[in-house]
Amino acid sequence: MFATQATCGSHTNIDSYTSSVLDHINTTIDSVTTQKQITIYPNQKPWMNKEVRILLKARNTAFRSGDLKLLKKIQTFQNTQNLVFIFKKNTCVIC
């Protein structure tokens, strides 16, 4: 398919061939995948992912609301799961 487009006489133009193949690949990628912008800050720790942020936000909200029962439940869950330690262990090379 691509070789016939890039063939001129008896020889194949490698630049034209490469261009047509890359255009096809990029078109296929654009039609199948979606683009997502992820903002990473220089002081952001690699183990601070979405799950950890959600748990910390829930803990802080429970603390600010004064709901001690909910706060204790969240803290117990965080301690039993030990999520921060697990994420640090799996992602941080230096830690």
Side-chain angles (χ1 to χ4, degrees):
M1 172 176 145
F2 302 110
T4 56
Q5 294 174 354
T7 302
C8 182
S10 62
H11 72 286
T12 302
N13 183 355
I14 191 70
D15 292 329
S16 176
Y17 183 68
T18 304
S19 175
S20 62
V21 170
L22 286 176
D23 286 342
H24 180 69
I25 291 171
N26 288 332
T27 304
T28 306
I29 288 173
D30 290 340
S31 68
V32 174
T33 61
T34 59
Q35 290 186 354
K36 182 176 181 181
Q37 183 175 354
I38 299 173
T39 305
I40 299 175
Y41 299 101
N43 61 347
Q44 185 176 1
K45 305 297 182 201
W47 47 267
M48 281 296 291
N49 61 14
K50 184 178 179 180
E51 291 86 11
V52 174
R53 275 191 220 96
I54 289 171
L55 286 172
L56 289 175
K57 186 175 180 181
R59 184 197 65 192
N60 293 342
T61 305
F63 177 76
R64 278 190 231 110
S65 70
D67 189 355
L68 294 178
K69 189 180 255 185
L70 179 61
L71 179 63
K72 194 53 112 173
K73 184 177 179 181
I74 291 171
Q75 287 175 339
T76 304
F77 176 76
Q78 288 176 344
N79 289 338
T80 57
Q81 298 298 316
N82 208 359
L83 295 176
V84 173
F85 176 74
I86 292 168
F87 288 124
K88 273 187 175 181
K89 184 178 176 184
N90 290 338
T91 59
C92 190
V93 177
I94 299 171
C95 299

